[in-house]
Amino acid sequence: MDLRAELLKSIWYAFTALDVEKSGKVSKSQLKVLSHNLYTVLCIPHDPVALEEHFRDDDDGPVSSQGYMPYLNKYILDKVEEGAFVKENFDELCWTLTAKKNYKPDRNGNSVVSHQDAFKLWCLFNFLSEDKYPLVMVPDEVEYLLKKICTAMNVELNSCELEDYLSQEPQGQGGLTVWQFLDMVNSGRFLRGIEQEAISMAVEEVYQEVIEDVLKQARSSHGYLWKKGQLRRNWSERWFMLKPSVLSYYMSEERKEKKGSIALDKHCCVEVLPDRDGKRCMFCVKTASRTYEMSASDTRQRQEWTLAIQTAIRLQAEGKKSLHKDLKQKRREQREQREQRKAAKEEETQRLKQLQEEKERKLQELELLKEAQRQAEILLQEEEQRRRQQHEEMQRTLEIQLREAEQARASMQAEMVLKEAEAERQRKRILELEDMQERLQEALQQEVKARQDEEAVRYAQARLLAEEEEKLKQLMKLKEEQEEYIIKTQMEKQVLKQEMENKNKCLEEAQKQLEEVRVNRQRVDQDVMAAQRKLRQASTNVKHWNVQMNRLMHPIGPGDKRTNVSGGVFTGYQPLLSQRDSSLK
């Protein structure tokens, strides 16, 4: 934390203390007084007209903190030089302004800390607070500061009680304000049974360590350190105080008379020396120009001093000016890392929760898909059962039609056999009618043509029957393939579904072809019927000519019976038909 940020924290308290109405604005007259006091304590040449010139375009109304910041940066903070002023006086000025308005100790005088100790705690709070406004101190820093104070008094802090208090206390911006912190200390809840003088000494020690960067100083209870002189080489008792860049020594603990100092840098070192000259627990600090010998009261005190001086040398080597600024930065980084780990853990937990919800949702979807698949399988089985029944019914119908066709063909063959026998009997009769044959040639040619048409129709019918049998075989084959695909459906349902659709299309095409065959068969049957009609017409013509022939061959005599003329004519014409059929075959 640089000097500008430290000064801004104290000035913020002074500015808010002047904001009586809590509107975020302060009158120009009050800002003039504040600026004059800041010029004085910061040892900056005062420019009495700078504020008026800076706000000369503004009206006489109050000025906000944002409006005051440009003037503060340009005319005050930019001119501040570190080491040119006493920071404690600057802090006392800002504390005086803000404490008058905000600090409310016990009016009965029962406060745990004095007004001066409250000021030092306020400075410690500003040092350890976060770098954002309004200023607050996070619970970790509160616990750290209280532990430092309790350690200085050799008292152990009750962390559980502190956590209970912080959990009950309303916290703004994630921490305690300085006034909440002072109220907590004055409540005596964590420092009960301890005298105010001991608390003041502890606060002073922590203040010097944290604010004034005093890494180590001799305590009166442990005695002074002995230092060996350079010229007279005698041993003198001195009060030592260690800061990161210098080890100073005084005549007494009041630090009124400074006897000298040892400048520390990265080239210095501290070493433990053996006992000699009647002195024990000796150690020395070596610089580039001189070696300083010192003696502690006991081994523990020597170890504390050597470790503290080594720490100061290490800070100089690392280019750091303050131990506690470095420790504060490290604690802040650790808090940020904890927050990051916590946020990462919460994010991981949230992600795992989302993954679990996604998993449950997918499981539900999977169950729904399984249920839909089972329903689809049931529907598919029902559809297959229905199609199988339709195929069986169609097969039975085709078988019945085939049997009927076979019976019709058998009856036709039997009829043909009978006709052939009849034709054989009529052959002799045809020989007798050869003369008549020439006159009947034209009728016979018509009959022959009709018979040829009938034979062509029969041949077409036989071909269609063969095609019908082939289609039936294909239908049976498709049925077997379909049954095989039904078995494979349980293993590859999606693939079988597509294949079954293809087979169903083929089956539909086969059914269409079968229907076409049936239509062709009906057409052939119609052609057969037409040929039969022509045959009957030709037979009628033949009968007519046969009657005429009989009349010519058998003259009608007196008393002849004519009852069997028709039968005789038909009987006489049968050999002619048989001979014609034989010639056609």
Side-chain angles (χ1 to χ4, degrees):
M1 183 170 59
D2 58 358
L3 179 61
R4 181 185 292 265
E6 294 180 9
L7 298 178
L8 277 176
K9 285 186 176 181
S10 299
I11 295 174
W12 178 79
Y13 279 108
F15 185 90
T16 54
L18 297 176
D19 181 15
V20 180
E21 298 179 357
K22 297 182 179 180
S23 61
K25 295 183 178 182
V26 179
S27 65
K28 286 185 177 180
S29 59
Q30 290 176 317
L31 289 179
K32 288 180 182 179
V33 176
L34 175 61
S35 301
H36 178 78
N37 291 329
L38 292 177
Y39 277 122
T40 302
V41 296
L42 294 174
C43 300
I44 301 173
H46 184 214
D47 187 358
V49 296
L51 182 62
E52 290 294 339
E53 290 181 355
H54 184 75
F55 294 105
R56 62 179 180 271
D57 296 333
D58 199 359
D59 54 11
D60 296 333
V63 180
S64 64
S65 59
Q66 291 83 1
Y68 183 59
M69 280 302 297
Y71 170 81
L72 182 65
N73 288 323
K74 181 178 180 180
Y75 294 99
I76 299 179
L77 296 180
D78 289 346
K79 299 179 181 180
V80 173
E81 296 180 2
E82 189 172 2
F85 67 98
V86 180
K87 188 175 184 301
E88 186 174 358
N89 296 335
F90 169 77
D91 289 334
E92 284 183 353
L93 170 64
C94 297
W95 163 255
T96 303
L97 292 174
T98 188
K100 187 182 299 184
K101 177 183 177 183
N102 298 303
Y103 183 54
K104 299 179 179 58
D106 192 346
R107 296 181 178 179
N108 298 325
N110 297 326
S111 299
V112 176
V113 296
S114 63
H115 190 81
Q116 186 64 23
D117 294 336
F119 161 68
K120 293 176 181 178
L121 290 174
W122 178 79
C123 294
L124 290 168
F125 181 92
N126 288 345
F127 181 82
L128 297 175
S129 63
E130 298 298 304
D131 297 334
K132 54 185 179 180
Y133 297 90
L135 295 175
V136 294
M137 185 161 59
V138 296
D140 291 344
E141 296 297 325
V142 174
E143 183 178 3
Y144 172 77
L145 179 56
L146 291 177
K147 281 185 177 179
K148 293 285 292 185
I149 297 173
C150 291
T151 302
M153 297 184 296
N154 294 324
V155 178
E156 185 177 357
L157 177 66
N158 190 343
S159 300
C160 297
E161 189 175 1
L162 176 62
E163 290 180 1
D164 294 340
Y165 180 85
L166 293 176
S167 62
Q168 297 173 3
E169 187 72 14
Q171 300 180 13
Q173 303 294 328
L176 293 178
T177 64
V178 65
W179 314 119
Q180 290 176 325
F181 174 71
L182 292 176
D183 291 341
M184 180 184 68
V185 176
N186 281 324
S187 67
R189 185 171 180 176
F190 306 101
L191 302 175
R192 64 172 63 95
I194 303 176
E195 296 181 357
Q196 188 176 13
E197 183 178 358
I199 296 175
S200 297
M201 292 178 62
V203 171
E204 174 66 21
E205 181 178 344
V206 176
Y207 177 82
Q208 291 182 1
E209 179 183 350
V210 176
I211 303 300
E212 297 184 356
D213 287 329
V214 177
L215 299 180
K216 181 68 179 176
Q217 61 181 347
R219 297 182 182 179
S220 58
S221 59
H222 294 102
Y224 289 57
L225 291 178
W226 291 87
K227 173 185 170 296
K228 188 175 183 178
Q230 181 180 9
L231 298 177
R232 299 172 60 184
R233 308 300 292 175
N234 60 331
W235 290 88
S236 303
E237 192 175 30
R238 297 286 183 259
W239 178 271
F240 279 82
M241 184 175 68
L242 175 65
K243 289 188 176 182
S245 60
V246 63
L247 177 61
S248 305
Y249 48 94
Y250 303 83
M251 282 295 294
S252 64
E253 58 183 300
E254 285 80 11
R255 295 184 292 175
K256 294 182 179 180
E257 184 180 356
K258 185 176 181 181
K259 300 300 293 182
S261 61
I262 304 172
L264 301 176
D265 55 31
K266 61 182 180 179
H267 302 292
C268 299
C269 66
V270 58
E271 295 180 358
V272 177
L273 299 177
D275 298 343
R276 65 172 182 268
D277 299 335
K279 297 296 180 181
R280 53 188 300 271
C281 302
M282 294 179 62
F283 65 95
C284 68
V285 178
K286 291 183 179 181
T287 64
S289 59
R290 181 181 169 185
T291 300
Y292 298 86
E293 296 183 4
M294 285 159 279
S295 173
S297 59
D298 53 29
T299 306
R300 178 180 178 184
Q301 189 180 16
R302 179 179 67 178
Q303 184 179 6
E304 290 177 355
W305 275 103
T306 54
L307 290 176
I309 295 172
Q310 288 174 354
T311 301
I313 295 172
R314 178 178 58 82
L315 290 175
Q316 291 297 315
E318 294 176 356
K320 299 176 181 177
K321 297 180 179 181
S322 174
L323 173 63
H324 284 278
K325 288 180 181 178
D326 183 43
L327 294 177
K328 177 188 174 183
Q329 184 63 28
K330 289 182 178 179
R331 291 195 302 272
R332 180 175 295 176
E333 292 175 356
Q334 291 175 357
R335 286 197 303 272
E336 290 176 355
Q337 291 175 0
R338 286 199 302 270
E339 291 296 329
Q340 290 176 359
R341 288 194 295 269
K342 183 178 178 181
K345 186 176 180 181
E346 291 178 355
E347 184 179 356
E348 182 67 18
T349 303
Q350 187 67 20
R351 189 176 66 83
L352 291 176
K353 184 178 179 181
Q354 292 177 356
L355 289 176
Q356 184 67 24
E357 293 176 354
E358 183 69 15
K359 182 179 179 181
E360 292 178 357
R361 185 179 63 81
K362 288 185 177 181
L363 288 176
Q364 293 177 357
E365 291 179 356
L366 184 60
E367 291 296 330
L368 293 176
L369 289 175
K370 289 182 178 179
E371 182 65 24
Q373 185 178 7
R374 287 193 293 270
Q375 295 294 333
E377 288 178 354
I378 293 173
L379 293 175
L380 184 62
Q381 292 177 357
E382 293 177 354
E383 182 67 18
E384 291 300 323
Q385 184 68 24
R386 184 180 62 80
R387 290 181 179 178
R388 188 178 299 176
Q389 292 177 357
Q390 291 179 354
H391 293 163
E392 291 177 355
E393 183 68 23
M394 186 181 297
Q395 184 178 0
R396 287 193 295 269
T397 303
L398 291 175
E399 290 177 352
I400 292 172
Q401 292 178 355
L402 288 174
R403 284 196 296 270
E404 291 177 353
E406 289 292 336
Q407 291 176 0
R409 184 166 25 169
S411 62
M412 289 178 67
Q413 289 178 354
E415 185 178 356
M416 290 299 294
V417 170
L418 292 175
K419 287 182 178 181
E420 288 178 356
E422 186 68 23
E424 185 67 24
R425 286 193 301 268
Q426 294 295 329
R427 215 171 265 148
K428 295 180 180 181
R429 183 65 176 171
I430 292 173
L431 293 174
E432 297 175 354
L433 298 174
E434 288 179 355
D435 296 334
M436 190 64 181
Q437 186 176 359
E438 293 177 356
R439 287 177 293 176
L440 296 175
Q441 188 67 33
E442 184 178 356
L444 286 176
Q445 288 177 355
Q446 293 177 358
E447 185 177 2
V448 167
K449 184 178 180 180
R451 180 60 66 180
Q452 288 176 353
D453 294 336
E454 182 182 3
E455 289 296 330
V457 170
R458 288 180 182 178
Y459 177 77
Q461 185 178 11
R463 180 175 55 82
L464 291 174
L465 289 174
E467 290 178 358
E468 186 176 1
E469 290 177 355
E470 184 66 23
K471 295 297 180 181
L472 181 61
K473 290 180 181 179
Q474 292 179 0
L475 182 62
M476 295 298 292
K477 184 177 180 181
L478 289 174
K479 179 182 176 183
E480 293 176 357
E481 290 178 356
Q482 188 176 9
E483 291 177 352
E484 291 177 358
Y485 281 119
I486 290 172
I487 296 174
K488 292 180 180 178
T489 303
Q490 298 176 355
M491 298 175 64
E492 299 177 353
K493 295 178 180 179
Q494 297 297 329
V495 177
L496 180 59
K497 184 175 180 180
Q498 186 64 31
E499 292 180 355
M500 289 203 54
E501 290 178 356
N502 295 333
K503 293 298 180 179
N504 288 332
K505 291 180 180 179
C506 294
L507 184 59
E508 291 175 358
E509 292 177 357
Q511 290 177 353
K512 290 179 180 180
Q513 292 177 2
L514 184 59
E515 292 294 331
E516 292 177 359
V517 170
R518 290 177 180 173
V519 171
N520 293 333
R521 182 180 174 184
Q522 292 177 358
R523 190 182 300 113
V524 170
D525 292 336
Q526 293 176 359
D527 295 336
V528 170
M529 293 175 65
Q532 290 177 355
R533 285 195 301 271
K534 291 179 180 181
L535 183 60
R536 285 193 298 271
Q537 184 66 30
S539 299
T540 303
N541 294 332
V542 170
K543 285 181 180 180
H544 176 70
W545 288 105
N546 195 7
V547 171
Q548 296 295 332
M549 180 65 67
N550 288 332
R551 287 180 180 177
L552 295 174
M553 293 178 65
H554 301 283
I556 299 175
D560 288 342
K561 296 180 180 180
R562 302 176 61 184
T563 56
N564 294 330
V565 173
S566 305
V569 171
F570 179 75
T571 303
Y573 187 67
Q574 290 299 327
L576 182 60
L577 289 176
S578 298
Q579 184 179 2
R580 179 180 53 82
D581 292 338
S582 299
S583 64
L584 288 175
K585 291 182 180 180

